[in-house]
Amino acid sequence: LYPGAYVIAGAYTRDQWSGFSNGARYPDETVAAGQTKTISLGGETVHIRNMGTAHTPDDLVVYLESRKLLMTGDLVFLDMHPALFPEKGTVVSALIAALDTLAQSYDAKTVVPGHGPVSTMAGVKSVRDYFSSIRDALDDQAKLAELREKYRGYYALPGMSSFDITVKTIMAERKQ
């Protein structure tokens, strides 16, 4: 949409980039896992932070300091079962840790998720609670049944996301 724009992205290799970017050009600058780049853009201080491996191998968040606006990408899915792809880098325990870091690091009034409605930091907490409550209930079938009912109204992408896929992904990760 913006030919000639200066592109900053996660530190994917050129091979990784060409594998998922639908022909988009490689970024002008990358931010390594655990690093933050701060820029001034139109009088706004913008923090671009690579959260490392969580939903993908290089999840970036962008925080506009004076607006208290946090854009989370696919770390936050609101009112839906997240699509999880362990074979492509999803690590639920790291995703929970990344959500904890967001909650502790940013004083955001507005959160723009990768999927779902615009929210507040309560949205970050709700996604964290979704994952941690399921993880903590794996050995308690009654509790899992309660959670299945609690999240029954969440949107699911057929074949890609559901309560059962989340449970299966977390169980597989726990066995590793």
Side-chain angles (χ1 to χ4, degrees):
L1 293 176
Y2 302 96
Y6 190 83
V7 177
I8 301 171
Y12 291 100
T13 66
R14 289 186 186 277
D15 286 343
Q16 288 171 309
W17 190 263
S18 65
F20 63 72
S21 66
N22 299 322
R25 67 179 171 82
Y26 191 75
D28 298 296
E29 185 174 352
T30 61
V31 179
Q35 299 296 307
T36 299
K37 176 165 183 66
T38 302
I39 62 173
S40 180
L41 187 62
E44 176 71 58
T45 301
V46 179
H47 304 276
I48 304 163
R49 183 174 185 176
N50 186 327
M51 302 300 292
T53 298
H55 184 262
T56 66
D58 278 292
D59 287 293
L60 288 186
V61 297
V62 177
Y63 182 65
L64 282 65
E65 191 174 289
S66 68
R67 296 175 192 200
K68 296 187 182 236
L69 173 70
L70 178 64
M71 292 170 269
T72 63
D74 284 347
L75 292 175
V76 176
F77 293 70
L78 294 175
D79 303 326
M80 69 182 298
H81 299 287
L84 304 172
F85 305 104
E87 69 283 0
K88 293 185 179 180
T90 301
V91 179
V92 175
S93 58
L95 186 47
I96 292 169
L99 294 166
D100 284 340
T101 299
L102 294 180
Q104 295 164 6
S105 300
Y106 298 102
D107 179 28
K109 287 184 180 178
T110 306
V111 173
V112 179
H115 300 274
V118 172
S119 186
T120 63
M121 290 304 285
V124 173
K125 183 182 181 314
S126 74
V127 176
R128 191 236 185 260
D129 290 348
Y130 169 87
F131 286 118
S132 63
S133 66
I134 293 171
R135 178 198 59 200
D136 295 346
L138 288 179
D139 297 321
D140 185 339
Q141 291 303 311
K143 184 65 177 168
L144 274 178
E146 287 176 27
L147 291 171
R148 181 184 311 280
E149 182 60 27
K150 176 179 179 178
Y151 297 118
R152 183 173 52 101
Y154 272 31
Y155 179 76
L157 298 166
M160 292 181 65
S161 70
S162 67
F163 183 84
D164 291 333
I165 289 172
T166 300
V167 169
K168 180 181 170 184
T169 302
I170 295 171
M171 286 181 76
E173 185 177 308
R174 184 170 82 168
K175 289 178 183 178
Q176 294 177 349

